[in-house]
Amino acid sequence: MSLGKPLVFTILFLSSVLGYSQEIEGFVFDNMTKKPIDGASVYFDGSSIGTITDEQGNFKIRLLFQNNATLVIRYLGYETKKIVNLEEVDELKIGLKEKVESLKEIVVTSDPFSRKQKLKVFKLEFLGDTKGGRNSTIINESEVKLYFNSYDNTLSAYCDKPLIIRNEYLAYVVNFEIEEFKIFFKKKSLERTDNIYYTVYDGSTQFYDISSNDLKIRERRKKAYLGSSMHFMRSCWNGDLKTQNFRLKEGFKPVPIKNFFSKENPKEDLQNIRFSGAKYVIYHKRKGNYRSTLRINNLDTVYTLDRYGNYSPFQEIVFGGYMANFRIGEMLPIDYGL
């Protein structure tokens, strides 16, 4: 991996409660006219589980297992709606507001770089400088607006429509709605080596599987999964870090799993966990040359973890090193393998 910068990974995956095999029904309508909206996208963020509303604005969507879930409702020309509290809800009525077009506030400074230069760096940081990233194409890249702020040496990206990414390597089409994208540089330069403090991106993600169950694609996805933060957090949920070939160190000292965290409700789908330390180094046997870090910002916080590997509050757990280098080109949907 050539991406050696820390990443603040803030894509919002799952944050509510659903029952096992629960089917949720809903109705989507124009908030002003009260008329139904036909063809609105309804999906669980970061997953391949989604549907669209019918002519009457109705939808049904199913998700297995209890989990932390954000339901996203999106329709062109309207403000995207996110529902993060779905506890024991069987039916939803969702009004969408028309989007008011407005120019984003931008600090006006002289931009020393061309769009071609900025777009190259954006795609490397967004898609990743990996096999998955290099074999991914942003279908509608002309929609991306890029601004370099010479005052604080940041490159920001905006887009009024979801970006459509076709990943030929992992065989997914990904819709990514950018809410924030910013690269923080050390100096007024687009050089990436030893010049990027970190990259922040935030948004909602919907996956479409285009693999036709191809064996080669399955092997590639497995390779992307092994040693990833998703793999690590799922192993925490299962309590099988060792059998999944993960090793932990605190400084230079190996850490037994029992000294890593404790579970308050280990037999439930949603597990409450407490971490015992603030900083760890993670190794995975298959990824022997790659080193990841894990920082727990608040040891007093009780974290919620589901079998998909999603956790909350997501801001309080920060991955660095190998696991933080994953970009859109290596990303798997949260329902991968389940």
Side-chain angles (χ1 to χ4, degrees):
M1 303 281 289
S2 59
L3 292 172
K5 288 79 62 182
L7 172 69
V8 179
F9 193 79
T10 57
I11 292 181
L12 306 177
F13 284 143
L14 299 174
S15 337
S16 65
V17 180
L18 296 176
Y20 177 78
S21 292
Q22 182 177 358
E23 185 175 77
I24 297 176
E25 298 183 8
F27 169 63
V28 181
F29 59 94
D30 183 298
N31 201 55
M32 181 68 71
T33 66
K34 309 304 179 186
K35 292 182 178 179
I37 296 178
D38 176 14
S41 296
V42 183
Y43 58 94
F44 288 102
D45 197 2
S47 80
S48 62
I49 301 170
T51 186
I52 60 172
T53 56
D54 62 20
E55 291 181 357
Q56 288 74 45
N58 297 317
F59 70 87
K60 292 182 181 180
I61 190 168
R62 182 185 298 271
L63 185 62
L64 297 179
F65 310 119
Q66 277 192 316
N67 57 84
N68 299 314
T70 296
L71 187 69
V72 181
I73 302 92
R74 178 171 50 80
Y75 189 69
L76 188 63
Y78 287 77
E79 295 179 4
T80 297
K81 187 103 170 186
K82 290 185 177 182
I83 301 176
V84 296
N85 292 305
L86 287 173
E87 297 185 19
E88 300 180 358
V89 171
D90 294 319
E91 186 174 0
L92 296 167
K93 293 184 178 180
I94 304 156
L96 299 184
K97 295 180 181 179
E98 283 197 60
K99 186 182 294 184
V100 179
E101 298 295 337
S102 62
L103 293 175
K104 294 183 179 290
E105 278 191 31
I106 300 167
V107 177
V108 179
T109 61
S110 59
D111 191 333
F113 304 109
S114 67
R115 174 176 172 80
K116 183 178 180 180
Q117 291 173 311
K118 291 181 290 188
L119 188 61
K120 180 181 179 180
V121 175
F122 166 75
K123 289 197 292 186
L124 284 170
E125 287 295 307
F126 181 66
L127 299 174
D129 194 3
T130 61
K131 286 184 178 179
R134 289 189 292 271
N135 285 278
S136 294
T137 304
I138 303 175
I139 303 300
N140 57 341
E141 69 176 33
S142 62
E143 300 283 350
V144 182
K145 302 175 181 66
L146 297 162
Y147 304 94
F148 188 90
N149 188 332
S150 298
Y151 179 76
D152 59 4
N153 297 328
T154 58
L155 178 63
S156 300
Y158 306 95
C159 194
D160 294 328
K161 301 177 181 178
L163 292 181
I164 304 170
I165 301 103
R166 187 177 181 90
N167 186 336
E168 299 290 354
Y169 184 72
L170 296 180
Y172 289 113
V173 170
V174 184
N175 285 0
F176 188 93
E177 186 170 19
I178 293 179
E179 294 179 9
E180 181 182 16
F181 183 95
K182 189 172 289 188
I183 307 172
F184 293 80
F185 294 92
K186 296 178 183 178
K187 55 187 178 181
K188 190 167 67 175
S189 167
L190 293 180
E191 290 292 328
R192 295 170 63 242
T193 305
D194 297 324
N195 187 37
I196 294 180
Y197 280 119
Y198 54 89
T199 298
V200 177
Y201 63 99
D202 188 0
S204 60
T205 314
Q206 184 178 19
F207 286 79
Y208 298 91
D209 192 334
I210 56 172
S211 69
S212 300
N213 204 28
D214 183 86
L215 177 61
K216 180 171 64 175
I217 297 300
R218 292 205 306 270
E219 287 299 315
R220 289 176 181 174
R221 291 177 179 178
K222 182 179 178 180
K223 187 176 180 181
Y225 172 72
L226 291 174
S228 66
S229 59
M230 176 191 285
H231 183 198
F232 179 77
M233 295 306 288
R234 285 186 180 182
S235 299
C236 290
W237 186 91
N238 285 309
D240 61 352
L241 283 167
K242 186 175 182 180
T243 59
Q244 292 298 310
N245 296 314
F246 283 106
R247 292 184 295 119
L248 282 171
K249 287 188 176 182
E250 199 167 11
F252 297 100
K253 184 180 179 181
V255 179
I257 302 305
K258 63 180 181 180
N259 295 340
F260 173 49
F261 66 84
S262 59
K263 297 182 180 181
E264 296 185 1
N265 47 350
K267 295 183 180 180
E268 298 181 16
D269 284 338
L270 283 172
Q271 299 179 359
N272 292 331
I273 63 174
R274 290 181 181 270
F275 291 95
S276 304
K279 294 181 180 180
Y280 297 93
V281 179
I282 307 168
Y283 298 92
H284 186 257
K285 186 175 181 180
R286 186 178 175 92
K287 305 289 185 181
N289 295 325
Y290 297 100
R291 173 180 176 274
S292 301
T293 60
L294 176 64
R295 187 179 78 242
I296 310 301
N297 287 338
N298 191 342
L299 292 179
D300 294 327
T301 299
V302 176
Y303 297 86
T304 303
L305 176 65
D306 66 30
R307 69 173 68 225
Y308 294 95
N310 299 289
Y311 52 88
S312 63
F314 70 92
Q315 306 97 323
E316 299 296 326
I317 300 178
V318 181
F319 287 96
Y322 172 75
M323 291 182 183
N325 288 334
F326 279 49
R327 302 300 201 261
I328 297 298
E330 300 295 320
M331 191 179 293
L332 298 166
I334 56 97
D335 51 304
Y336 166 75
L338 292 176

